[in-house]
Amino acid sequence: MLDPQAKISSLHDNIERVICGKSEAVTLAMVTLLARGHLLIEDVPGVGKTTLAQSFARSLSCSFKRIQFTSDLLPSDIIGMSVFNQPAREFEFRPGPIFANIVLADEINRTTPKTQSSLLEAMNDAQVSVENHTHALPRPFMVIATQNPVEYQGTFPLPESQLDRFLIRVRMGYPGVADEKRILSGRQTVRADELAPVLTGEEVLALQEEASRVTMDDALTDYLMAIVTATRSRPDLDLGVSTRGAVFLHRAARALALVEGRTYCLPDDVKRLVVPVFAHRVIVNPGVESFGRGTDDAHDILIEILDQVPVPL
């Protein structure tokens, strides 16, 4: 019999053997997996983006492929191609690295928009189409992408359609002084490639099913939709949250409830996930600077909306 809490705790603890002081980032990665979504990790170089992705993948007994995105990468380098088999005198499909349970798209914004778009079908439908043939991807399937801030040289900003496929965006941030001192002192001795898996693919699928059975009260669903609607009517937002974004928040809140050991959602589950699920989906009006906000405008606006929308009792 599957014990969801024991399995979830073992996954969290295993990842934290490598990742110091980033418990919330680890939790959000697990929520993304249980909600059948994809994760975008964004921050400056050297703060552990790739390490988090690798630690997460190594903790699962699933197939894992890493794709290093560069400006000369082609769509066929990701999804595969048809090659002529001379002895058989026919074309055969040779799958690319996208055919894995966990795919690390490292520095995804260093490749061209054409290559970025090759992930759209895979991330949305868990399949790829090559020359009029559709090929299903293995289950579970999850893309973990890392990217540098768009102002860095040699980057191509992800289009809105691509960003909308990611369930959650995580920003790592710098570690605390104590955690960074622990890293420097060498007491953090476990490397990502030394981790042993703690969950099988079948257990991941079972946990995803458990998350889908978590209940959300109608009043809480109305609260979620009130937040979504508010993003669509704000004058300081040119683009509000899509229907896909609303569905993703609904799924993520149920997954978070399971991670927290509950079979039902609370308002705090929704509030905790609004920024990581919505911040990369909304587009701030360029004139928002006149309102005196800082550089992370989407975050500030979403916090204002949470303060204004009444919480159900």
Side-chain angles (χ1 to χ4, degrees), residues 173-208:
Y174 294 109
V177 174
D179 293 315
E180 198 159 13
K181 184 177 179 180
R182 180 183 171 192
I183 296 171
L184 295 176
S185 67
R187 293 197 296 270
Q188 185 68 23
T189 58
V190 179
R191 301 197 312 268
D193 57 5
E194 296 175 335
L195 291 178
V198 295
L199 258 70
T200 65
E202 291 74 18
E203 288 171 334
V204 170
L205 293 174
L207 287 173
Q208 290 176 341

Side-chain angles (χ1 to χ4, degrees), residues 147-160:
Q147 73 168 1
N148 296 313
V150 295
E151 60 268 17
Y152 272 64
Q153 292 185 354
T155 60
F156 299 85
L158 294 177
E160 289 80 9

Side-chain angles (χ1 to χ4, degrees), residues 5 46 53 129 138 161 168 232 243 274:
Q5 291 316 117
S129 299
S161 60
I168 282 177
R232 298 170 181 171
T243 301
V274 163

Side-chain angles (χ1 to χ4, degrees), residues 6 11 32 43 51 56 62 65 83-84 94 115 119 121 123 161 163 177 212 221 242 255 269 276 282 296-297 303 310:
L11 177 60
T32 306
D43 219 311
T51 302
F56 186 81
C62 298
K65 295 288 180 63
V83 178
F84 187 70
R94 294 188 180 176
T115 303
L119 290 171
E121 182 183 12
M123 295 174 65
S161 60
L163 286 171
V177 174
S212 68
T221 303
S242 66
D269 297 326
V282 298
D296 200 357
D297 300 319
I303 294 299

Side-chain angles (χ1 to χ4, degrees), residues 99-230:
F99 285 84
N101 296 116
I102 308 295
V103 178
L104 169 56
D106 206 14
E107 296 190 291
I108 190 174
N109 62 336
R110 289 202 178 275
T111 195
T112 61
K114 178 181 179 180
T115 303
Q116 291 173 0
S117 65
S118 65
L119 290 171
L120 289 175
E121 182 183 12
M123 295 174 65
N124 196 59
D125 302 318
Q127 65 181 33
V128 296
S129 299
V130 180
E131 297 181 359
N132 299 322
H133 292 284
T134 299
H135 306 272
L137 296 172
R139 297 181 62 236
F141 174 69
M142 179 181 180
V143 173
I144 305 176
T146 70
Q147 73 168 1
N148 296 313
V150 295
E151 60 268 17
Y152 272 64
Q153 292 185 354
T155 60
F156 299 85
L158 294 177
E160 289 80 9
S161 60
Q162 185 84 59
L163 286 171
D164 205 37
R165 260 67 172 188
F166 288 100
L167 189 147
I168 282 177
R169 182 184 69 179
V170 171
R171 286 184 169 166
M172 296 291 292
Y174 294 109
V177 174
D179 293 315
E180 198 159 13
K181 184 177 179 180
R182 180 183 171 192
I183 296 171
L184 295 176
S185 67
R187 293 197 296 270
Q188 185 68 23
T189 58
V190 179
R191 301 197 312 268
D193 57 5
E194 296 175 335
L195 291 178
V198 295
L199 258 70
T200 65
E202 291 74 18
E203 288 171 334
V204 170
L205 293 174
L207 287 173
Q208 290 176 341
E209 285 298 320
E210 287 285 336
S212 68
R213 288 194 286 268
V214 172
T215 59
M216 179 179 286
D217 187 81
D218 286 344
L220 190 52
T221 303
D222 292 339
Y223 173 63
L224 185 155
M225 285 309 305
I227 297 171
V228 171
T229 303

Side-chain angles (χ1 to χ4, degrees), residues 234-237 284-285 287-294 301 304:
R234 296 269 307 201
D236 45 7
L237 290 179
V284 179
N285 187 312
V288 75
E289 293 181 2
S290 63
F291 300 141
R293 292 194 178 89
I301 292 171
E304 284 183 13

Side-chain angles (χ1 to χ4, degrees), residues 252-273:
R254 289 182 292 165
L256 178 57
L258 181 65
V259 169
E260 296 292 328
R262 288 181 272 104
T263 58
Y264 55 89
C265 289
L266 297 174
D268 283 347
D269 297 326
V270 175
K271 295 176 68 175
R272 182 174 170 184
L273 291 167

